[in-house]
């Protein structure tokens, strides 16, 4: 009988309504163990986000496994998104459990990770929750920017304001008792007599509670004259729009203070040297001897210039630029996603997303809960207005209900975003078919971004091949499958050559088996285990 440990996890109240409650997960796992004759050594219950593995209960689980690795055969959970919602960290953690000889698996999404092709399905299961988190984040950003453009500030209120709501129950900044200190501070600075520290000391003496760091940001905040600053995002430039909240100071006073502050500032800006376009790998490539990053330079010979990536003495390790470019191109070819694999991968993603959407379809209970939370927020506001609860208690409760409400509403957006998520996958994965070309046509900045996305850490060359201890797990899996595919094709070609070579003309002795020219071993990715 095999010994197993069980891991169950939830992150918010809404998950209980979708079949993810701790009790429900635990019961399913226990039933599975009973049916499969597995002995449960321990159950670890977690109420924490899966964005990272820095979870209290998971740390206890890992420590338990290290101390009892001889007796544990498996760690099992319901689904892979219960294990983690971070693809890169998931692969690293699976590697940790492999070193402990403990198999990690999900009973509703079982995989045999000894089969290379099953690794693609693992990539799907691990990446879908991460993409969902990113999509949710984009939806939140989009909603906040839309509110900002309408002049409605939806962040935490700065000093002088409190977070309130208008008649339509939408966020609105409301002036509070600190506003008088803010106004006086601007007026003092506008005289040109006092600096920020002197203004801060005067306001503190009158009862204003703040810090020197906070006061510096106050005097730069557009909100106080009624403006809402919108940061630049993608193709949109930063801008300031008119807010719908009540201003504390005039626009004229604000910009007078800005002129005074800017005239007092000194320029300490230094122009940073740009990376030479010839050397996109500079900073990523390390010396195989001393493990320090290689630099790059050109030297003049008798007839021409010679360019190298090289180490500083005493190593004096160096590589010709032409050789490095050739080796790196071979590596990029090895992680290019072949078209048949691309098509298979997309089908797997679509199937997994469709199944997940069907399972997470929102029912009446979801909308009842949304309505219940909204009613609680209204009752909470009434209690605060009537003076039945303290301000501190009101803020804590309001923040809690607000977070729950936002997550519930985000689920409604997620259910509408299946096509968009699939489209995002398609636009991303199609780029994996032409990584070599994409790299060659990119400018220096894009090349370095691409290199950084492939290698979380630095890499080196050994025997004319890329060698690294760490690589993006998706590219590692693609390289593994490509290598397996190339070996299969090579055996098939060799088999055909063997058969055809043995067939001679009638009346002649069979000729010797010919050697196919150009059939060299394909470039492979080498990984240090």
């Amino acid at each position: 009988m095999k010994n197993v440990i069980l891991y169950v996890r939830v992150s918010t109240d809404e998950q209980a309504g979708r079949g993810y409650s701790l009790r429900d997960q635990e019961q399913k796992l226990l039933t599975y163990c009973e049916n499969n004759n597995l002995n449960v050594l321990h159950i670890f219950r977690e109420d924490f986000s899966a964005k990272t593995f820095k979870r209290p209960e998971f740390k206890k689980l890992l420590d338990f496994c290290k101390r009892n690795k001889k007796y544990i055969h498996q760690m099992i959970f319901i689904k892979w998104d219960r294990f983690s919602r971070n693809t890169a960290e998931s692969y690293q953690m699976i590697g940790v459990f492999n070193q402990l000889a403990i198999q990690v698996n999900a009973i509703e999404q079982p995989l045999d990770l000894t089969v290379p092709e099953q690794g693609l399905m693992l990539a799907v299961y691990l990446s879908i929750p991460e993409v969902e988190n990113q999509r949710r984040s984009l939806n939140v950003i989009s909603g906040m920017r839309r509110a900002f453009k309408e002049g409605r500030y939806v962040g935490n209120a700065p000093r002088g304001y409190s977070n309130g709501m208008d008649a339509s129950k939408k966020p609105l900044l409301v002036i509070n008792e600190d506003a008088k200190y803010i106004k006086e501070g601007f007026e003092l600075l506008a005289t040109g007599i006092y600096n920020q520290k002197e203004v801060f000391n005067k306001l503190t003496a009158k009862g204003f509670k703040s810090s020197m760091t906070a006061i510096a940001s106050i005097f730069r905040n557009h909100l106080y004259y009624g403006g809402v600053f919108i940061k630049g995002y993608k193709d949109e430039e930063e801008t300031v729009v008119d807010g719908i909240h009540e201003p504390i100071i005039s626009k004229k006073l604000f910009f007078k203070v800005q002129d005074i502050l800017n005239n007092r500032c000194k320029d300490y800006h230094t122009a940073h040297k740009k990376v030479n376009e010839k050397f996109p790998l500079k900073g990523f490539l390390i010396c195989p001897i001393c493990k320090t990053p290689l630099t790059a330079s050109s030297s003049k010979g008798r007839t021409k210039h010679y360019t190298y990536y090289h180490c500083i003495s005493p190593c004096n390790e160096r590589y010709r630029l032409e050789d490095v470019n050739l080796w790196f191109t071979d590596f990029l070819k090895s992680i290019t996603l072949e078209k048949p694999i691309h098509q298979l991968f997309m089908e797997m993603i679509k199937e997994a997303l469709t199944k997940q959407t069907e399972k997470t379809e929102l029912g009446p209970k979801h909308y009842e809960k949304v309505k219940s939370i909204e009613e609680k927020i209204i009752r909470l506001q009434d209690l605060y207005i009537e003076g039945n609860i303290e301000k501190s208690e009101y803020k804590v409760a309001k923040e809690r209900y607000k977070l729950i409400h936002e997550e519930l509403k985000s689920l409604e957006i997620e259910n509408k975003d299946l096509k968009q998520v699939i489209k995002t996958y398609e636009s991303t994965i199609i780029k994996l078919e032409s990584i070599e070309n994409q790299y060659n046509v990119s400018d220096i900045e894009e090349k370095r971004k691409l290199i950084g996305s492939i290698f979380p850490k630095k890499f080196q060359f050994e025997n004319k091949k890329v060698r690294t201890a760490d690589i993006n797990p998706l590219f590692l899996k693609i390289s593994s499958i490509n290598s397996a595919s190339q070996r299969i094709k090579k055996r098939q070609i060799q088999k055909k050559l063997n058969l055809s070579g043995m067939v001679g003309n009638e009346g002649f002795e069979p000729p010797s088996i010919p050697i196919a020219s150009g059939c060299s071993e394909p470039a492979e990715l080498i990984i240090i285990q």
Side-chain angles (χ1 to χ4, degrees):
M1 180 181 290
K2 290 185 176 180
N3 295 324
V4 300
I5 57 173
L6 309 182
Y7 180 66
V8 295
R9 184 190 67 79
V10 296
S11 59
T12 58
D13 293 339
E14 53 89 12
Q15 289 170 316
R18 296 199 293 158
Y20 288 127
S21 67
L22 291 174
R23 185 181 300 174
D24 182 67
Q25 291 180 59
E26 187 174 322
Q27 186 56 52
K28 287 180 180 178
L29 288 168
L30 289 172
T31 302
Y32 174 85
C33 292
E34 185 178 347
N35 294 338
N36 290 274
N37 196 30
L38 299 174
N39 179 43
V40 178
L41 293 179
H42 203 291
I43 302 174
F44 292 88
R45 304 169 184 85
E46 188 93 76
D47 182 5
F48 216 78
S49 170
K51 290 181 181 179
T52 72
F53 282 100
K54 294 177 181 178
R55 311 172 215 154
E57 202 63 22
F58 195 90
K59 289 179 180 178
K60 294 179 184 178
L61 181 152
L62 195 57
D63 183 59
F64 180 84
C65 289
K66 289 177 180 179
R67 286 186 284 105
N68 302 281
K69 60 183 180 180
K70 294 181 180 179
Y71 312 105
I72 304 171
H73 299 97
Q74 291 182 357
M75 181 186 86
I76 57 177
F77 33 85
I78 293 291
K79 297 176 71 174
W80 286 98
D81 64 354
R82 301 300 91 199
F83 178 64
S84 175
R85 285 178 171 265
N86 185 310
T87 308
E89 287 193 5
S90 295
Y91 278 100
Q92 293 175 357
M93 188 56 66
I94 289 171
V96 171
F97 281 103
N98 286 341
Q99 290 177 355
L100 297 174
I102 298 173
Q103 183 185 356
V104 178
N105 220 330
I107 64 171
E108 291 186 3
Q109 296 169 329
L111 295 172
D112 182 0
L113 298 181
T114 61
V115 179
E117 289 74 12
Q118 292 270 302
L120 275 179
M121 203 63 220
L122 175 62
V124 172
Y125 287 147
L126 293 177
S127 62
I128 285 177
E130 188 169 9
V131 170
E132 286 179 343
N133 281 347
Q134 292 172 355
R135 170 54 52 188
R136 186 182 302 175
S137 176
L138 288 174
N139 289 336
V140 171
I141 291 172
S142 176
M144 291 183 70
R145 289 185 69 81
R146 186 166 57 251
F148 285 157
K149 289 174 183 178
E150 295 172 357
R152 190 182 298 278
Y153 185 77
V154 293
N156 290 328
R159 284 298 179 93
Y161 287 104
S162 300
N163 289 109
M165 287 194 178
D166 59 16
S168 59
K169 304 299 181 184
K170 290 185 177 180
L172 180 68
L173 291 179
V174 180
I175 290 177
N176 62 25
E177 61 274 10
D178 283 337
K180 60 184 179 184
Y181 299 115
I182 304 296
K183 185 177 181 180
E184 185 178 351
F186 273 95
E187 290 172 345
L188 288 170
L189 266 181
T191 63
I193 301 172
Y194 307 101
N195 60 31
Q196 291 186 69
K197 187 173 182 180
E198 290 169 336
V199 171
F200 172 69
N201 291 335
K202 284 180 175 293
L203 296 178
T204 302
K206 291 185 177 184
F208 182 58
K209 295 179 180 179
S210 185
S211 65
M212 194 58 212
T213 305
I215 206 78
S217 64
I218 284 173
F219 294 134
R220 294 288 191 181
N221 198 329
H222 296 263
L223 286 170
Y224 294 114
Y225 74 84
V228 176
F229 176 76
I230 305 174
K231 292 181 180 179
Y233 182 67
K234 294 185 178 179
D235 296 331
E236 298 178 5
E237 294 183 357
E238 63 180 42
T239 185
V240 179
V241 301
D242 292 333
I244 62 173
H245 60 280
E246 183 182 350
I248 293 176
I249 62 172
S250 68
K251 194 171 185 178
K252 183 178 179 181
L253 176 59
F254 177 82
F255 283 104
K256 185 177 181 180
V257 169
Q258 302 315 299
D259 289 339
I260 292 172
L261 292 176
N262 292 335
N263 288 335
R264 287 177 178 171
C265 290
K266 294 183 179 180
D267 249 333
Y268 293 105
H269 297 296
T270 306
H272 294 283
K273 188 176 179 182
K274 291 185 177 180
V275 179
N276 192 320
E277 292 188 0
K278 288 184 179 180
F279 312 120
L281 298 178
K282 186 177 178 181
F284 294 101
L285 190 57
I286 61 172
C287 174
I289 299 173
C290 65
K291 306 302 180 185
T292 58
L294 297 182
T295 187
S297 61
S298 298
S299 59
K300 188 176 181 180
R302 291 183 179 179
T303 57
K304 63 177 183 178
H305 284 82
Y306 297 91
T307 308
Y308 298 94
Y309 283 97
H310 59 88
C311 189
I312 308 299
S313 54
C315 292
N316 290 323
E317 187 77 10
R318 68 177 185 174
Y319 303 105
R320 289 176 61 244
L321 178 67
E322 295 80 6
D323 291 337
V324 168
N325 291 341
L326 180 63
W327 301 340
F328 194 69
T329 298
D330 287 342
F331 164 74
L332 292 177
K333 288 178 181 177
S334 77
I335 61 170
T336 293
L337 189 64
E338 296 180 358
K339 197 163 187 177
I341 302 297
H342 171 199
Q343 294 170 344
L344 173 63
F345 200 16
M346 275 312 305
E347 289 302 317
M348 292 162 64
I349 289 171
K350 288 177 182 177
E351 183 181 352
L353 281 170
T354 303
K355 285 182 179 178
Q356 184 155 330
T357 303
E358 289 171 355
K359 288 184 178 180
T360 59
E361 187 174 352
L362 303 176
K365 286 186 177 179
H366 168 83
Y367 296 100
E368 287 174 7
K369 187 155 191 175
V370 172
K371 186 178 179 181
S372 171
I373 293 297
E374 290 173 347
E375 289 173 351
K376 286 179 180 178
I377 292 174
I378 294 171
R379 286 201 300 271
L380 184 66
Q381 291 169 347
D382 291 338
L383 288 171
Y384 177 59
I385 292 170
E386 293 167 3
N388 293 325
I389 59 172
E390 296 294 328
K391 184 178 179 179
S392 58
E393 295 175 341
Y394 166 72
K395 281 187 174 181
V396 172
K398 179 189 169 186
E399 189 64 26
R400 180 162 59 89
Y401 286 137
K402 184 181 175 182
L403 288 173
I404 295 173
H405 186 264
E406 286 176 355
E407 290 206 33
L408 289 170
K409 296 300 285 184
S410 69
L411 289 175
E412 296 173 19
I413 298 173
E414 285 177 25
N415 275 256
K416 298 175 184 176
D417 279 349
L418 175 60
K419 290 183 180 178
Q420 183 60 43
V421 172
I422 291 176
K423 189 176 178 181
T424 302
Y425 265 109
E426 286 177 335
S427 63
T428 303
I429 292 174
I430 199 168
K431 293 179 181 178
L432 301 180
E433 285 189 13
S434 55
I435 293 179
E436 179 192 358
N437 294 334
Q438 185 182 341
Y439 177 81
N440 290 333
V441 300
S442 298
D443 59 28
I444 183 64
E445 293 300 325
E446 292 300 319
K447 281 182 178 178
R448 290 179 66 80
K449 285 180 183 177
L450 182 59
I451 297 168
S453 69
I454 297 172
F455 302 104
K457 298 179 181 177
K458 302 184 186 342
F459 69 95
Q460 66 189 60
F461 286 113
E462 188 172 305
N463 298 325
K464 302 180 181 181
K465 294 179 182 179
V466 170
R467 188 174 183 87
T468 176
D470 196 4
I471 185 174
N472 185 305
L474 180 59
F475 292 116
L476 173 59
K477 184 53 63 178
I478 290 172
S479 174
S480 174
I481 291 172
N482 284 347
S483 297
S485 176
Q486 289 292 336
R487 286 193 290 271
I488 292 170
K489 287 179 182 177
K490 188 175 179 181
R491 285 199 298 271
Q492 291 173 342
I493 292 170
Q494 190 62 50
K495 187 175 180 181
K496 289 179 182 178
L497 288 172
N498 290 345
L499 291 173
S500 62
M502 293 298 292
V503 179
N505 294 328
E506 188 176 352
F508 288 87
E509 290 293 327
S512 58
I513 299 173
I515 300 174
S517 61
C519 293
S520 60
E521 190 70 23
E524 293 184 11
L525 171 67
I526 301 176
I527 305 296
I528 299 175
Q529 298 295 335

